Amino acid sequence: PMLGDCKISELDPGKIRIWFNEVLKLAGHYTAKEAKKHLSTVLSMAGEDFCIRVPTMPRITGGYRKKERGLLRQEQVKAVIDSAWDRE
């Protein structure tokens, strides 16, 4: 699933998206985003240095959803406030 054996001419946004999702599973969201950023930089430099066409980086890579945070219920807010008052 890694890109080491791929030639730049064989890369396309779909392959990059698959690679990104594999890195996401193996290493987490932060590392996957950083790896994608570095890949984008390397491909841009290769395009400039060797005058070759490089693949477009996919914008939406999918596979990652932030966990939705719930709000405190009224009783929980009351418990927090009561606890704060008890400490004083």
Side-chain angles (χ1 to χ4, degrees), residues 13-83:
K15 287 182 181 175
I16 294 170
R17 189 174 289 111
I18 290 168
W19 166 80
F20 177 84
N21 286 325
E22 284 295 316
V23 175
L24 182 65
K25 286 182 212 168
L26 295 171
H29 185 68
Y30 176 80
T31 302
K33 275 182 57 177
E34 289 295 308
K36 183 178 169 223
K37 185 168 44 173
H38 292 301
L39 176 64
S40 177
T41 302
V42 167
L43 290 175
S44 293
M45 291 174 68
E48 289 176 11
D49 292 348
F50 301 110
C51 297
I52 57 174
R53 186 167 182 209
V54 295
T56 305
M57 294 298 287
R59 290 177 184 238
I60 300 173
T61 50
Y64 176 73
R65 299 276 187 250
K66 279 189 174 182
K67 293 179 182 174
E68 193 170 312
R69 295 181 184 178
L71 297 175
L72 294 176
R73 293 187 308 271
Q74 185 175 358
E75 340 39 272
Q76 292 172 316
V77 172
K78 184 178 181 325
V80 169
I81 292 171
D82 290 344
S83 174

